[in-house]
């Protein structure tokens, strides 16, 4: 065998090994392979062109070897193309088809507490209430003393309240009334605010109670504010929140911060007042507490109680939400179970 034939045979063996081992890393690598071996100025073209320098008696065998090499290169090229097409992602593979319909975008759902909180806010905003917010960690004065809750009041007990520090006392606020106190202390009258926010109580967790929940409290202080204003405001709220057929009733009650005080019930949403298991056969369900602001509170905050009067109310957002959406267990609100949360998709 001539030295040219020896050299070229070795070279062909090396090409064969290289071709057989080829696995494209991406489109660019596959194209480079095609150009190198199968292109119009590629290795195979050059090898076939060299045929004429091969001795005539060896030409047939040499041709067979070259054809085999060409076939292998073509096979590897096609295998490589298939391999890239099966591979997802941008490192090669199928080009993105922009004509296909878009993948549907999954929107999350608003949390039911957030939905109801927004609804309550917009109902009161329509009649001139603005929103006030304050700290979740409060001092003794704003959470208890200013609100006519004396030293020995049971709510101050460590069993009921989370203390962050003692003497001086700092607590996780047990209601958003502390925000109203802060607004009253600013001394700008009249006041017409609602105070939404998270509150904390040292309760055993159950279907009906939790160690944190959400409140919206309201306060209206001006000259000549009466219990009739309170009743009409809350009646308007109920009609907007629960529908025009809803009826309300007020029962006398006691709170240290209001005098007189009342609890407000609405006609049962399930039976319309006929009596069922939800309303315990009474036809009524309690939704909030309210009353005329105790004159001592006004004075505590530097407001002249002979000139000004006011009403206040407080409700638990969880309670309103449970009634509105017929939710039986308060713990569902904080368990983050998507099966529960998904049910509020699309609610606004
Ligand atoms: C000031 C003056 C008066 C707020 C009020 C209630 C009655 C009440 C409860 C409802 C369910 C709390 O979430 S709940 O447990 N609230 O019954 N809240 S009157 O009275 C105030 C607040 C601030 C300065």
């Amino acid at each position: 065998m001539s030295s040219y034939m020896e050299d070229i045979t070795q070279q062909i063996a090396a090409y064969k090994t290289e071709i057989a081992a080829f696995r494209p890393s991406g489109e660019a690598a596959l194209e480079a392979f095609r150009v190198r071996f199968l292109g119009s100025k590629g290795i195979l073209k050059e090898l076939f062109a060299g045929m004429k320098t091969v001795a005539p008696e060896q030409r047939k065998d040499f041709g067979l070897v070259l054809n085999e090499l060409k076939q292998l290169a073509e096979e590897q090229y096609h295998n490589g193309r298939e391999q890239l097409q099966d591979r997802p992602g941008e490192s090669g593979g199928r080009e993105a088809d922009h004509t296909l319909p878009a993948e549907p975008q999954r929107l999350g759902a608003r949390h039911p507490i957030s939905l109801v909180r927004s609804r309550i806010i917009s109902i009161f905003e329509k009649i001139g209430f603005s929103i006030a917010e304050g700290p979740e960690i409060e001092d003794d004065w704003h959470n208890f003393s200013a609100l006519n809750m004396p030293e020995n009041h049971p709510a101050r007990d460590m069993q009921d309240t989370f203390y962050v520090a003692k003497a001086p006392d700092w607590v996780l606020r047990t209601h958003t009334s502390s925000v109203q106190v802060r607004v009253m202390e600013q001394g700008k009258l009249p006041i017409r605010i609602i105070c939404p926010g998270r509150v904390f109580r040292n309760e055993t967790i159950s279907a009906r109670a939790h160690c944190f929940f959400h409140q919206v409290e309201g306060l209206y202080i001006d000259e000549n504010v009466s219990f009739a204003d309170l009743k009409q405001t809350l009646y308007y709220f109920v009609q907007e929140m629960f529908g025009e057929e809803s009826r309300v009733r007020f029962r006398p009650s006691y709170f240290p911060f209001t005098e007189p005080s009342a609890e407000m019930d609405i006609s049962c949403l399930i039976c319309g007042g006929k009596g069922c298991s939800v309303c315990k056969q009474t036809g009524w369900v309690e939704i909030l507490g309210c009353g005329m602001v105790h004159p001592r509170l006004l004075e505590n905050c530097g407001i002249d109680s002979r000139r000004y009067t006011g009403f206040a109310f407080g409700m638990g957002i969880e309670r309103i939400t449970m009634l509105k959406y017929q939710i039986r267990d308060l713990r569902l609100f904080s368990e983050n179970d998507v099966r529960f949360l998904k049910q509020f998709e699309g609610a606004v």
Side-chain angles (χ1 to χ4, degrees), residues 244-280:
E244 283 180 3
E245 328 72 51
S246 300
R247 287 165 293 125
V248 298
R249 76 172 183 186
F250 291 81
R251 287 176 289 104
S253 186
Y254 168 78
F255 304 109
F257 22 82
T258 47
E259 182 60 38
S261 304
E263 270 156 330
M264 189 177 85
D265 298 338
I266 59 169
S267 47
C268 179
L269 300 163
I270 306 298
C271 64
K274 291 191 187 78
C276 68
S277 63
V278 170
C279 61
K280 300 194 189 84

Side-chain angles (χ1 to χ4, degrees), residues 215-233:
Q215 282 188 334
V216 175
E217 292 202 345
L219 178 70
Y220 180 26
I221 300 176
D222 202 348
E223 294 179 20
N224 302 316
V225 175
S226 71
F227 204 94
D229 297 317
L230 165 62
K231 287 178 77 175
Q232 194 57 39
T233 303

Side-chain angles (χ1 to χ4, degrees), residues 147 177 180-181 184 201 213 215 217 219 255 257-258 288-291 293 297 312-316:
L147 288 154
S177 308
Q180 278 117 294
V181 173
M184 281 160 68
R201 299 210 183 150
F213 64 101
Q215 282 188 334
E217 292 202 345
L219 178 70
F255 304 109
F257 22 82
T258 47
L288 55 78
C290 57
V293 178
L297 258 71
F313 57 87
M315 64 186 106

Side-chain angles (χ1 to χ4, degrees), residues 19 152 250 306 334 345:
I19 293 170
N152 55 354
F250 291 81
R306 282 162 305 173
S334 48
E345 270 172 18

